[in-house]
Amino acid sequence: MRKIFITTIFILCAICGMRAQSDTVTVHVDGTTSLESLMEDYDECSIRYLSITGNLSEDDYAYIRNNILKSLKVLDLKNAEIDSLPKNAFNCTLEYTSSEYMPKTQIILPNILEYVSDNAIALKKNRWEPSTFVITGQYPKFADYDWRNSYPEIILRVSENNLYCKEVEMIHEYYEWEPMNVRFICSSDTTILYCQDYCSIYGVVEGVRIISSSAFENRIIGEGQVTYLPSTLDSIGNRAFYNVDMIVSTCCGPGISHLVCMAVNPPKLGEEVFGERYTGSVYLYVPDESIDLYKNTEGWKNFVKIRPMSRYYPIKGDIKENAKRPNSVEVKYNEDGCVLQLSKPSSRVMVYDVDGTQILNKKITSQAIQLNKSLLNKPYSLAVIAFTDGTTEVIKLKY
């Protein structure tokens, strides 16, 4: 009996001496004890979900980078008392061998976060796997280093129950290319666009009034690509389109890139919104009645090629027959001409003849559009429908 008792004591002592292995840990940092000290009783390599409340010092961030982050799936800071991420908070490259476990790292940002300092979310991995930062409160202000510079290694997302921000998706059909899903982070009422999560610029969804500073900074635009700005746009923030890289093909390219701004009144511009290379290379198309306004408005007048919408001819490549087009438009011919029945809301219809002359350009609110016979020219006409989600569709109309 005595031997059994002594053996039990040894086992209990051994258990007490081991670091606790748990995949979920919650810890409060109140400033009196370091995070490293609070984690002494846990096996760092076994933790997959770590929730931290309170505040963190520079040493605490260094401990997270160097000791914990590599094995974590989720670092939850939602309820932490952190309104500013310090410089280099998560600036590190996590090294993994080919046989090592590599989680999809997600860092849930504090819901009171207001400012993200330089390089604070520069988290990368030696084997490509994106790191996701989740916004739980208002969209924070970013310092000079921008998370967009590292897309797709760093991705920003919005929590499901966020009261201030939401994700908006636009399906962009770029001519003969495959349809592409482009995701934006906007204000909860979709009037402010904060950022886009894709590297190429395609356009902005209808309803956006403000494009925030640096929203598309350091992104790319392809040769022949069209960027749509909605009719609802009021203002564009500092450096929103600054340092955009213009891709030029090495062979016969698809043509000149276009910026189509549907706003009748030129949106107000912040500082350095467009770089010289952008304004000198892109054709700007604006409503016919507004062309003089744009040519005489500071910032917009820097575009060397400003044209009226009536000269915009966005057709490239072979136009598919009606039977082969997507299902968002149905054409019904009648004695008076034809009716275009739309399956989703649209903002404008434009009709061209085969020479590229614009016959019609008008705003629409109905999802049933009557086109008279006078618009159906030989051998055919082309109708371009601009939808409120930022997509366009080209329809070939028989005579």
Side-chain angles (χ1 to χ4, degrees), residues 220-322:
I220 62 175
I221 183 170
E223 188 178 11
Q225 191 167 311
V226 181
T227 301
Y228 291 94
L229 301 183
S231 61
T232 52
L233 191 62
D234 290 335
S235 64
I236 306 177
N238 299 342
R239 300 175 67 93
F241 290 85
Y242 195 79
N243 199 32
V244 172
D245 190 7
M246 312 289 291
I247 296 179
V248 179
S249 61
T250 57
C251 56
C252 183
I256 301 298
S257 300
H258 307 289
L259 176 64
V260 179
C261 186
M262 309 293 287
V264 174
N265 295 313
K268 297 181 288 292
L269 301 180
E271 298 179 1
E272 298 182 307
V273 173
F274 306 104
E276 291 183 6
R277 186 182 179 195
Y278 191 89
T279 56
S281 304
V282 174
Y283 281 17
L284 172 63
Y285 287 87
V286 300
D288 287 41
E289 65 269 31
S290 306
I291 189 164
D292 289 336
L293 281 174
Y294 278 85
K295 286 184 175 181
N296 291 284
T297 299
E298 202 64 40
W300 291 105
K301 67 181 183 181
N302 296 337
F303 283 88
V304 297
K305 302 158 187 172
I306 304 178
R307 294 182 173 182
M309 202 77 74
S310 58
R311 294 183 62 189
Y312 177 51
Y313 187 56
I315 313 302
K316 174 182 176 291
D318 295 331
I319 305 302
K320 297 180 180 180
E321 296 291 342
N322 291 335

Side-chain angles (χ1 to χ4, degrees), residues 158-269:
V158 176
S159 61
E160 292 183 2
N161 58 347
N162 193 305
L163 300 177
Y164 307 96
C165 307
K166 69 177 181 179
E167 295 180 15
V168 178
E169 192 171 84
M170 180 179 79
I171 302 176
H172 187 89
E173 297 175 0
Y174 179 44
Y175 304 123
E176 74 273 15
W177 291 12
E178 291 294 323
M180 182 174 298
N181 292 340
V182 181
R183 184 180 287 104
F184 302 94
I185 293 181
C186 297
S187 59
S188 57
D189 60 1
T190 322
T191 59
I192 305 174
L193 184 147
Y194 296 115
C195 66
Q196 173 191 294
D197 76 345
Y198 194 73
C199 54
S200 291
I201 304 172
Y202 289 102
V204 176
V205 292
E206 191 74 19
V208 168
R209 294 180 53 251
I210 300 170
I211 297 177
S212 292
S213 299
S214 301
F216 299 102
E217 185 175 0
N218 299 321
R219 296 308 179 92
I220 62 175
I221 183 170
E223 188 178 11
Q225 191 167 311
V226 181
T227 301
Y228 291 94
L229 301 183
S231 61
T232 52
L233 191 62
D234 290 335
S235 64
I236 306 177
N238 299 342
R239 300 175 67 93
F241 290 85
Y242 195 79
N243 199 32
V244 172
D245 190 7
M246 312 289 291
I247 296 179
V248 179
S249 61
T250 57
C251 56
C252 183
I256 301 298
S257 300
H258 307 289
L259 176 64
V260 179
C261 186
M262 309 293 287
V264 174
N265 295 313
K268 297 181 288 292
L269 301 180

Side-chain angles (χ1 to χ4, degrees), residues 346-357:
S346 59
S347 59
R348 186 172 291 271
V349 59
M350 296 163 279
V351 179
Y352 303 84
D353 64 20
V354 291
D355 296 323
T357 301

